[in-house]
Amino acid sequence: MAAVPRPRFLVAVLAFCGVVVAVMQTLVIPLLPHVPALTGSTPTAASWLVTVTLLSGAVCTPVLGRIGDMYGKRRVLLVSLGLLTIGSVLCAASSQIGVLIAGRALQGAALAVMPLGVSIMRDELAPNRLLSSVALMSSTLGIGAAIGLPLAALVVENADWHTMFWVSAGLGLLDIALVLRFVPESPLRTGGRPDVLGVLGLSAALVCLLLAITQGGDWGWTSAPTLGLLGGAVLTGLLWGVHELRVPSPMVDLRVSARPAVLLTNVAALLIGFAFYANSLVTAQLVQEPTSTGYGLGASIVVSGLCLLPGGVAMVFLSPVSARMSSAHGPKVTLAVAAACIAAGYVVRFFTSHQLWTIVLGATVVAAGTAIAYSALPALVMRAVPVSETGAANGLNTLMRSVGQAACSAVVAAVLANLTFQAAGRTAPTLSAYLTVFVIAGAAALLALGVTLCLPGGRASIPYTVGHNRTAGAAEHPPAVLAQESSP
C-alpha cells in the first residue's frame, strides 16, 4: 500500500521514473558502432537494438495507457517498470545479440511510464500544481535523453559496457520501490472488457509502418518488403479503424481522437518529435567528424555527448516556465512559442556549424523549444478528452512523437548517406548534408507552428479528480475543472 501521497514526493517519484525511462531509450546509441565486434554480429543486427525499442515502445505506450485507464494506472506503471528491469538484466547478463534485442524490446515497453505518470498526476494533484507537474513529467523524455548520452559514452570509454545495463536494472528496481511507497492507486477506472482485436490491430499496423520507415533505407524505398509493409499498414489501419468504431469499449476512441483539438495536437506532436530528434541524431556525429572533412571537430564520444547536456539542463528549468505560460495564455500559445523557438534554433545551427560553442548554443535553443513543447502537449490533450481516457489519449500523443522520431531517423540516415564525399580516404557526409537536415527539421517545426495556430481557440478546461483530498480523509469530491485560456 502506498502512503498518503505528498504532492512533492509524488511528482518527484514520477518524474524520476520518466528520466530513467528516457535514459534507457538512448543508452545504446554510443555503443552501436562497437556492437558488431563485441557480439560477433552484423551492423544490421546491431541497429535492431534501437529499432526494436522503438517498435515495442510505439505498440505498448497506447495499449498500456488504455489498460491503466481500465484497471489501475499505478498497477500498470509497476508492470512497465518491471519490464524495464527485466530487460535491463537480460542485456547486462549476455553478449548474444538475440538476447540483447529481446532485452531492448522489454525496455522499450517502459515508454508507457510517460502517459501513465501524467494520468496519475491528473487524478491526484490539485489544480494549482497540475500544469507545472505535468510539464515536468513530459519534459523528462528530453531531459533523460540529454543526460543519458554523455553518461553512456563515459561508460563505453571507461568501463565494461554491461555496466550501464546493470545500472539501468538497479534504477528500475529503485523506481519500483519508490512507486510502491509514494504513489497511490487512482480510484478512477473506466472498467469494461479489453479490446483484444483493437490491441492486435493497432500493434500490427504500427509494426508494419515503423518497420517500413526504419528499414526502408536499407531495403530500398521501392523494394517489395518496404512497399508491402506500407500497404499492410494502410490496410490493417483501415480495418482496425472500422473495428474501433463498432466496439462499445474501443482501444482508442476514434470519435474523440478525431476532434480537431485532439487530432491537430497529435499532428503537432508528430512534427515536434521529428524536429527534436534531428537535434539528437546529428549533433554527436557532426562534432565527431574528423578535421580532415574541413568542418568536423574530431571530438571524442564523451565530448560529443556532453554537447547535449546544456539542453537537458535547460529543459529542467524551462518546464515550470512552460506551465506558467500555459496558465497565463493557454497551452496553444505555449506550443506556438515552442515551435517557433525550435525553428529559430535550427536557423542558428544552419549558420553556425563550425565551432563547438555555437553548435552547443544551437542545440540548446532547439532543446529549450522542445522542453516548452513537450510540456504544453499534455495540457492540450487533457483539456480535450474525458478524465477517464487520460492514459489512452496521452499514450497516443506519446506514440505520435515516437512516429515522428522514427520518420526523422529514416530521413536523416537517407540524407547523410546520399550527400557524401571522400575525405582522407574515407567516405563522410558533406557539410551540406548536415545543413540539409537542419533545414528539414526547421521546416517541420514551422509546420508544427502552422498546425498549432489552427487549433480551436476560446476558453477550454481541464477536468480533474481531487484524489489528494480523498486520501487525506476529506469527503469525496466530484470532478472539478481547471479553466484555461487556449488562445490570446
Side-chain angles (χ1 to χ4, degrees):
M1 288 284 292
V4 175
R6 297 181 182 179
R8 186 170 299 175
F9 289 158
L10 176 73
V11 172
V13 168
L14 292 174
F16 180 66
C17 290
V19 170
V20 171
V21 170
V23 168
M24 176 277 304
Q25 293 284 318
T26 58
L27 205 59
V28 301
I29 292 178
L31 185 66
L32 280 180
H34 311 283
V35 168
L38 293 171
T39 63
S41 61
T42 65
T44 300
S47 70
W48 276 92
L49 295 179
V50 174
T51 302
V52 75
T53 306
L54 177 68
L55 290 174
S56 62
V59 170
C60 291
T61 297
V63 171
L64 294 181
R66 177 59 176 159
I67 292 174
D69 286 337
M70 297 176 69
Y71 300 114
K73 303 175 183 73
R74 175 177 178 260
R75 180 179 302 171
V76 179
L77 177 65
L78 289 169
V79 170
S80 299
L81 293 171
L83 293 173
L84 182 148
T85 304
I86 295 170
S88 299
V89 171
L90 284 177
C91 293
S94 177
S95 298
Q96 298 294 320
I97 190 65
V99 176
L100 292 173
I101 291 173
R104 289 291 291 168
L106 292 175
Q107 286 185 319
L111 191 60
V113 164
M114 304 297 181
L116 289 167
V118 169
S119 301
I120 291 170
M121 288 177 177
R122 185 180 191 180
D123 291 347
E124 295 296 333
L125 297 179
N128 64 321
R129 296 190 62 98
L130 181 60
L131 279 179
S132 60
S133 301
V134 167
L136 178 61
M137 185 71 200
S138 189
S139 294
T140 57
L141 194 61
I143 295 169
I147 295 172
L149 281 172
L151 289 179
L154 281 170
V155 172
V156 169
E157 284 203 345
N158 298 289
D160 179 73
W161 60 275
H162 292 93
T163 303
M164 61 187 184
F165 290 112
W166 285 120
V167 171
S168 177
L171 291 174
L173 288 174
L174 177 60
D175 277 344
I176 291 172
L178 290 173
V179 170
L180 288 171
R181 176 65 178 85
F182 293 109
V183 178
E185 183 58 88
S186 170
L188 183 65
R189 302 182 189 179
T190 61
R193 300 178 60 184
D195 178 17
V196 177
L197 282 179
V199 170
L200 294 176
L202 178 62
S203 301
L206 287 174
V207 169
C208 289
L209 175 63
L210 292 173
L211 269 180
I213 291 175
T214 55
Q215 302 300 312
D218 293 331
W219 296 343
W221 292 107
T222 58
S223 67
T226 302
L227 294 178
L229 284 170
L230 289 174
V234 172
L235 179 60
T236 307
L238 290 174
L239 294 174
W240 172 77
V242 171
H243 168 77
E244 293 296 277
L245 291 172
R246 292 180 176 178
V247 294
S249 182
M251 173 67 219
V252 176
D253 191 334
L254 294 180
R255 292 179 178 85
V256 172
S257 299
R259 295 174 184 171
V262 181
L263 178 62
L264 293 176
T265 299
N266 285 333
V267 173
L270 186 150
L271 293 167
I272 292 293
F274 185 106
F276 157 71
Y277 205 50
N279 194 46
S280 299
L281 285 175
V282 303
T283 300
Q285 186 171 342
L286 175 62
V287 299
Q288 286 183 65
E289 292 287 358
T291 54
S292 59
T293 59
Y295 63 85
L297 303 178
S300 67
I301 296 176
V302 175
V303 171
S304 64
L306 289 172
C307 289
L308 296 173
L309 192 57
V313 175
M315 287 182 165
V316 173
F317 288 103
L318 285 173
S319 60
V321 174
S322 173
R324 286 194 289 271
M325 289 174 62
S326 293
S327 296
H329 307 290
K332 174 182 175 179
V333 172
T334 305
L335 185 58
V337 170
C341 182
I342 294 173
Y346 280 114
V347 171
V348 174
R349 301 219 59 180
F350 185 87
F351 289 105
T352 60
S353 291
H354 294 86
Q355 298 183 68
L356 185 61
W357 76 271
T358 55
I359 291 173
V360 172
L361 174 64
T364 302
V365 173
V366 173
T370 304
I372 297 171
Y374 278 9
S375 301
L377 286 168
L380 285 165
V381 171
M382 288 191 298
R383 72 174 191 172
V385 301
V387 178
S388 60
E389 297 183 19
T390 306
N394 276 295
L396 185 60
N397 189 259
T398 303
L399 165 64
M400 297 305 290
R401 299 186 218 174
S402 297
V403 172
Q405 290 175 9
C408 177
S409 179
V411 170
V412 169
V415 172
L416 297 185
N418 286 283
L419 297 177
T420 61
F421 74 121
Q422 293 295 314
R426 64 180 290 270
T427 301
T430 62
L431 177 60
S432 63
Y434 288 102
L435 299 182
T436 300
V437 170
F438 298 150
V439 170
I440 294 172
L446 290 176
L447 283 174
L449 173 60
V451 170
T452 301
L453 295 177
C454 293
L455 282 166
R459 285 198 67 81
S461 60
I462 297 179
Y464 68 96
T465 54
V466 193
H468 69 293
N469 286 339
R470 171 183 56 76
T471 54
E476 293 285 350
H477 289 263
V481 173
L482 174 60
Q484 291 202 348
E485 196 73 38
S486 62
S487 64

